Amino acid sequence: MLHDNVKKLFEENLWYIATIGDEPNVVPVGFKRVCDDGRLAIGAILLDTTLENIRRNGRVAVACADALTGEAYQIKGRAELVHEGEAYEHYKKLTEETFKGEMQLRCAVMITPERLINASPNEHNKEEISL
């Protein structure tokens, strides 16, 4: 499980998801949340390269930072693409409400954290934090 301060930071700030395929790929994501079980959920509307890379190897890194305080973390883990269930239905509804049929949800990306790393610009930078 994520510590409360880490969860709060991820809930309140933009995320960047990184994947690797033929070359590195990183994109910001706005349809995102921390689930009660500690997994991260993303609603994928575009994300073509990200989704292809996840299909290839399932490896992701998600970074988040508070621009005002500099507090930042990186989560590395495994991702799976889901087309049903609570997260999928949540993002399907959000996509419909937000884009009024102009865009469609492709899937939900469920990320299981394996490592949490401090990315803040301080003496704890690069320290791994237990999950």
Side-chain angles (χ1 to χ4, degrees), residues 2-130:
L2 298 177
H3 302 271
D4 288 342
N5 64 313
V6 174
K7 184 176 179 180
K8 183 177 187 296
L9 186 115
F10 272 81
E11 289 172 341
E12 295 177 353
N13 294 281
L14 188 65
W15 298 0
Y16 293 88
I17 182 171
T19 58
I20 186 75
D22 293 332
E23 61 184 10
N25 181 66
V26 63
V27 293
V29 291
F31 280 14
K32 45 70 171 179
R33 67 182 170 144
V34 179
C35 300
D36 290 340
D37 65 3
R39 293 185 300 163
L40 307 179
I42 294 172
I45 299 168
L46 300 171
L47 303 181
D48 294 337
T49 302
T50 299
L51 298 178
E52 180 59 34
N53 290 346
I54 290 170
R55 283 186 200 95
R56 284 184 182 183
N57 60 39
R59 304 296 301 166
V60 299
V62 180
C64 184
D66 182 322
L68 297 177
T69 67
E71 183 180 10
Y73 300 96
Q74 178 182 185
I75 292 174
K76 294 183 181 187
R78 292 260 174 211
E80 65 176 309
L81 309 180
V82 298
H83 297 89
E84 60 184 16
E86 189 276 327
Y88 178 82
E89 293 302 324
H90 169 79
Y91 288 118
K92 182 178 178 184
K93 181 180 178 186
L94 185 58
T95 301
E96 290 168 358
E97 291 171 354
T98 303
F99 296 106
K100 311 288 189 238
E102 296 294 319
M103 293 188 179
Q104 303 298 315
L105 179 70
R106 297 181 62 194
C107 65
V109 179
M110 300 302 297
I111 300 166
T112 302
E114 295 176 340
R115 296 177 62 207
L116 173 61
I117 301 159
N118 189 323
S120 303
N122 59 31
E123 68 276 9
H124 300 292
N125 183 268
K126 297 185 183 179
E127 286 183 9
E128 191 155 342
I129 302 164
S130 64

